[in-house]
Amino acid sequence: MKSKVLKVVKIGGKLIENEAKFTEFLKDFVALEGPKILVHGGGNLATEIAGKLGYKTQMFEGRRITDADSIKVITMVYGGLINKNIVAKLQALENNAVGLCGADGLSIVSEKRPVKEVDFGFVGDVKKVNANFIDSILEQNITPVFSAISCTEEGVLLNTNGDSVAAEITQAMSSIYETELYFCFEKKGVLADAQNDDSVIEEIDREKYEELLAEKIISDGMLPKLHNCFQALEHGVKQIFLGDFKLLKKESVYTKISN
């Protein structure tokens, strides 16, 4: 029987950019008991820096199209600037951490997304996660901090949706731990009305999800997020929560996803 609960937390780029909220979030993250993993985004900063370098950012259904120039920027921003800043802040809060991407220990192996209606370029879909390698870090009481970059078996770095990375890690670690997945972003949860931040849908099961899709209430970046949620529940993840920077305290309203 699995005795430990592992919490995997994904934090969105907009929260990282808000210093006050990000600082509060990190304190709450450090306060979590037991083993934990942090996965971070950073798309807005990558877009900003790419723009300054003269590169145009293209999106399709909430996912970034990544050409040869963009993957260089993403590697620098996600794997370098953002990742190491987070690790440094966790160390300052006396939470021993190590910054990783999928190439480290071949922890997140993916394959280049095949070209169908859209060529996503250097974008990866996760193929497998090295749960034993990640567990070896957790066993040393070190917190892994993953950027949203994976790696092919041939050694090619690929931009990978951060929500997918978090979901795939949580699923893989379910073979060793009881797992919980938290998506912390700029909203209080999944909204019934995108223009009303207080219209949080507090619980979504599969039937409710299908209703929301049919009514086109869910769109853009929330589509892949919820798709990942239900896929994770089908592959061993016990509980999933979505909310803002206060989510880890569970003191305010949030969304819980269930089968």
Side-chain angles (χ1 to χ4, degrees), residues 45-57 64 70 73 77:
L45 184 57
T47 299
E48 178 188 332
I49 292 178
K52 290 178 179 178
L53 293 172
Y55 304 142
K56 184 179 179 181
T57 298
R64 182 183 298 263
S70 296
V73 176
V77 175

Side-chain angles (χ1 to χ4, degrees), residues 1-4 175-178:
M1 184 174 178
K2 302 166 189 173
S3 57
K4 288 184 179 179
S175 64
I176 304 171
Y177 299 87
E178 295 281 352

Side-chain angles (χ1 to χ4, degrees), residues 119-209:
D119 182 357
F120 281 94
F122 288 87
V123 168
D125 294 315
V126 179
K127 183 178 175 183
K128 60 184 177 180
V129 172
N130 190 341
N132 290 329
F133 170 75
I134 297 172
D135 188 43
S136 70
I137 296 171
L138 294 169
E139 286 292 328
Q140 299 175 69
N141 294 318
I142 298 172
T143 299
V145 179
F146 279 97
S147 62
I149 300 169
S150 59
C151 182
T152 69
E153 290 174 331
E154 294 75 33
V156 178
L157 294 175
L158 297 174
N159 180 24
T160 308
N161 180 273
D163 295 338
S164 298
V165 168
E168 293 285 353
I169 289 174
T170 314
Q171 289 170 211
M173 300 310 292
S174 294
S175 64
I176 304 171
Y177 299 87
E178 295 281 352
T179 55
E180 296 178 356
L181 177 56
Y182 295 78
F183 288 108
C184 298
F185 55 119
E186 69 276 10
K187 302 294 184 182
K188 295 178 182 178
V190 180
L191 304 179
D193 177 0
Q195 307 305 315
N196 180 2
D197 286 346
D198 293 319
S199 63
V200 177
I201 305 170
E202 295 190 24
E203 187 148 359
I204 301 175
D205 58 14
R206 175 68 70 173
E207 184 179 352
K208 180 69 173 178
Y209 174 55

Side-chain angles (χ1 to χ4, degrees), residues 66-259:
T66 308
D67 60 18
D69 288 322
S70 296
I71 191 63
K72 296 175 185 177
V73 176
I74 284 164
T75 302
M76 289 187 288
V77 175
Y78 290 8
L81 182 61
I82 297 175
N83 188 267
K84 299 313 172 189
N85 269 310
I86 292 175
V87 170
K89 289 179 184 297
L90 287 174
Q91 300 292 170
L93 292 169
E94 299 183 351
N95 187 137
N96 199 10
V98 60
L100 302 166
C101 76
D104 297 301
L106 272 184
S107 50
I108 307 168
V109 177
S110 59
E111 48 195 6
K112 199 171 182 181
R113 185 171 299 168
V115 177
K116 294 181 181 178
E117 55 184 312
V118 173
D119 182 357
F120 281 94
F122 288 87
V123 168
D125 294 315
V126 179
K127 183 178 175 183
K128 60 184 177 180
V129 172
N130 190 341
N132 290 329
F133 170 75
I134 297 172
D135 188 43
S136 70
I137 296 171
L138 294 169
E139 286 292 328
Q140 299 175 69
N141 294 318
I142 298 172
T143 299
V145 179
F146 279 97
S147 62
I149 300 169
S150 59
C151 182
T152 69
E153 290 174 331
E154 294 75 33
V156 178
L157 294 175
L158 297 174
N159 180 24
T160 308
N161 180 273
D163 295 338
S164 298
V165 168
E168 293 285 353
I169 289 174
T170 314
Q171 289 170 211
M173 300 310 292
S174 294
S175 64
I176 304 171
Y177 299 87
E178 295 281 352
T179 55
E180 296 178 356
L181 177 56
Y182 295 78
F183 288 108
C184 298
F185 55 119
E186 69 276 10
K187 302 294 184 182
K188 295 178 182 178
V190 180
L191 304 179
D193 177 0
Q195 307 305 315
N196 180 2
D197 286 346
D198 293 319
S199 63
V200 177
I201 305 170
E202 295 190 24
E203 187 148 359
I204 301 175
D205 58 14
R206 175 68 70 173
E207 184 179 352
K208 180 69 173 178
Y209 174 55
E210 297 297 339
E211 286 178 16
L212 295 171
L213 283 177
E215 295 169 10
K216 299 190 184 307
I217 289 174
I218 300 173
S219 60
D220 301 327
M222 190 56 69
L223 280 171
K225 199 181 294 287
L226 287 180
H227 173 76
N228 287 324
C229 286
F230 283 101
Q231 186 178 51
L233 288 172
E234 291 170 4
H235 291 84
V237 177
K238 294 301 179 185
Q239 299 188 84
I240 303 178
F241 306 93
L242 297 90
D244 62 11
F245 69 103
K246 297 180 180 179
L247 175 63
L248 300 183
K249 295 177 183 174
K250 291 185 182 173
E251 292 177 352
S252 55
V253 67
Y254 55 85
T255 299
K256 179 181 178 181
I257 308 293
S258 59
N259 265 324

